[in-house]
Amino acid sequence: MNGPEETGGRPSTPLHVPVLLDTTLDLLAPALERAEPSTVVDATLGLGGHAEALLTRFPGTTLIGVDRDPAALRLAGERLAGFGARFRPAHAVYDAIPEVLDELGVEAVDGVLFDLGVSSMQLDEDDRGFSYARDVPLDMRMDPGEPRTAADVVNGYAVQDLARIFRVYGEERLADRYARAIGEARRTTPIRGSGELVDVLERATPAALKSRGHVGKRVFQALRIEVNRELEVLERAVPNAVDRISTGGRIVVLSYHSLEDRIVKRALAARTVSTAPRGLPVETDETAPTFRMLTRGAPKAAEAEVERNPRAASVRLRAAERIRGDHRAV
């Protein structure tokens, strides 16, 4: 979702391409080409950039596109309409993959793709409230039907809770200072717009630190994660997804900050290492790994791609393949 994409069937431009597209397709290819028909879940459909490429390259594949954002589902549906029944949209948060598959009558899938974070559409539309570069309402909901907005968090959370989410989710070194400044500012008037919040942060930032980048970057990231429960959802989503991958199937995850990548790494490691007690002479079916890693560490985008698409600068990729075991029994 972080990778910028185009809408409604318009061709991608050099500045509007999914992140690590070729690498993603190549990693999923053995799973999707080994038998036809095959099924892949795009757990973060966005505007359908990865989905369009998957459906084009793998003509024997059906894609289930999951997104919590109704606007993204509508626009992706327009973009992918030419693929007919091979595209099956689902309005859901990506930790609900098992429920989505059950509803569609799909027991197991051959591939799963997560492209985490916020989509370019959400960043670019002022009424979605994700931007710190423009003065927009503090919303930040990926699903506008959800009740809690960023304004609710900024104005309703205790100062110590604001400091915690800035520190943990934004890795912001001025978390306590910013939280206190927000608490002081909102006593007079609620903070409703991103411009107001940025002004508060600017005033609270020591002059010596104002050259380190936009003052709102980490705070806005933290608010977005809190509003959408992104890390909480991700903790459930990766295990839920791998549970439904068939033997020989693969998962690819693109993450964009260390908190996401840490969760993904831990979830995949749990399936790719033996659970046998140290010193056990024989590996049993119950303790043997069910997946193997396909990547060493978390590969980054090449410099050439980052030059074309600056949002690729922070991407980390991890991928794994199921090597054994009933997908229902892991």
Side-chain angles (χ1 to χ4, degrees), residues 184-317:
E184 184 65 31
R186 71 190 184 187
R187 287 182 187 175
T188 306
T189 307
I191 301 169
R192 297 296 182 189
S194 62
E196 298 171 64
L197 179 55
V198 168
D199 286 344
V200 172
L201 301 178
E202 286 275 8
R203 291 194 298 271
T205 303
L209 295 179
K210 288 189 176 181
S211 61
R212 65 180 182 145
H214 197 289
V215 297
K217 181 177 180 180
R218 295 179 183 275
V219 167
F220 276 62
Q221 172 182 294
L223 289 171
R224 190 200 82 216
I225 290 172
E226 175 69 12
V227 167
N228 297 289
R229 300 170 291 114
E230 290 179 40
L231 300 184
E232 173 190 335
V233 169
L234 185 60
E235 291 271 10
R236 298 187 296 268
V238 178
N240 286 353
V242 298
D243 282 351
R244 300 300 285 264
I245 294 176
S246 61
T247 302
R250 295 184 167 200
I251 180 171
V252 175
V253 185
L254 306 175
S255 56
Y256 294 83
H257 57 75
S258 60
L259 299 172
E260 291 175 339
D261 184 56
R262 198 172 304 142
I263 291 171
V264 174
K265 178 182 179 180
R266 186 168 60 243
L268 295 181
R271 309 302 177 98
T272 56
V273 299
S274 171
T275 58
R278 185 171 297 178
L280 191 72
V282 178
E283 185 80 76
T284 67
D285 288 344
E286 289 75 22
T287 61
T290 53
F291 279 75
R292 70 179 180 97
M293 292 303 299
L294 298 170
T295 52
R296 258 184 102 174
K300 304 177 182 180
E303 289 184 13
E305 178 169 357
V306 174
E307 288 180 6
R308 294 193 305 271
N309 179 5
R311 289 183 189 173
S314 60
V315 71
R316 302 293 184 271
L317 182 148

Side-chain angles (χ1 to χ4, degrees), residues 56-276:
T56 300
R57 176 162 167 180
F58 306 112
T61 295
T62 294
L63 183 139
I64 299 168
V66 178
D67 207 292
R68 66 172 76 183
D69 187 340
L73 283 169
R74 177 178 56 81
L75 292 168
E78 294 172 1
R79 179 177 191 165
L80 303 174
F83 295 102
R86 291 177 55 214
F87 170 59
R88 305 180 74 178
H91 180 216
V93 184
Y94 48 70
D95 63 338
I97 286 175
E99 291 79 6
V100 169
L101 296 181
D102 288 345
E103 186 172 333
L104 294 175
V106 177
E107 182 177 351
V109 299
D110 302 286
V112 177
L113 169 65
F114 287 90
D115 185 16
L116 302 171
V118 63
S119 75
S120 56
M121 177 192 72
Q122 291 162 340
L123 287 172
D124 293 341
E125 292 191 0
D126 286 351
D127 61 355
R128 304 304 296 272
F130 288 92
S131 177
Y132 53 77
R134 301 183 302 278
D135 186 15
V136 297
L138 282 173
D139 191 318
M140 300 193 193
R141 292 172 295 174
M142 291 180 177
D143 182 348
E146 291 291 320
R148 183 176 58 182
T149 68
D152 295 328
V153 174
V154 167
N155 295 291
Y157 276 31
V159 167
Q160 61 266 31
D161 290 329
L162 286 177
R164 174 184 55 81
I165 67 169
F166 296 163
R167 184 183 312 109
V168 176
Y169 295 163
E171 299 176 296
E172 173 55 67
R173 60 192 290 191
L174 298 177
D176 293 324
R177 188 185 187 105
Y178 284 162
R180 289 194 301 268
I182 290 169
E184 184 65 31
R186 71 190 184 187
R187 287 182 187 175
T188 306
T189 307
I191 301 169
R192 297 296 182 189
S194 62
E196 298 171 64
L197 179 55
V198 168
D199 286 344
V200 172
L201 301 178
E202 286 275 8
R203 291 194 298 271
T205 303
L209 295 179
K210 288 189 176 181
S211 61
R212 65 180 182 145
H214 197 289
V215 297
K217 181 177 180 180
R218 295 179 183 275
V219 167
F220 276 62
Q221 172 182 294
L223 289 171
R224 190 200 82 216
I225 290 172
E226 175 69 12
V227 167
N228 297 289
R229 300 170 291 114
E230 290 179 40
L231 300 184
E232 173 190 335
V233 169
L234 185 60
E235 291 271 10
R236 298 187 296 268
V238 178
N240 286 353
V242 298
D243 282 351
R244 300 300 285 264
I245 294 176
S246 61
T247 302
R250 295 184 167 200
I251 180 171
V252 175
V253 185
L254 306 175
S255 56
Y256 294 83
H257 57 75
S258 60
L259 299 172
E260 291 175 339
D261 184 56
R262 198 172 304 142
I263 291 171
V264 174
K265 178 182 179 180
R266 186 168 60 243
L268 295 181
R271 309 302 177 98
T272 56
V273 299
S274 171
T275 58

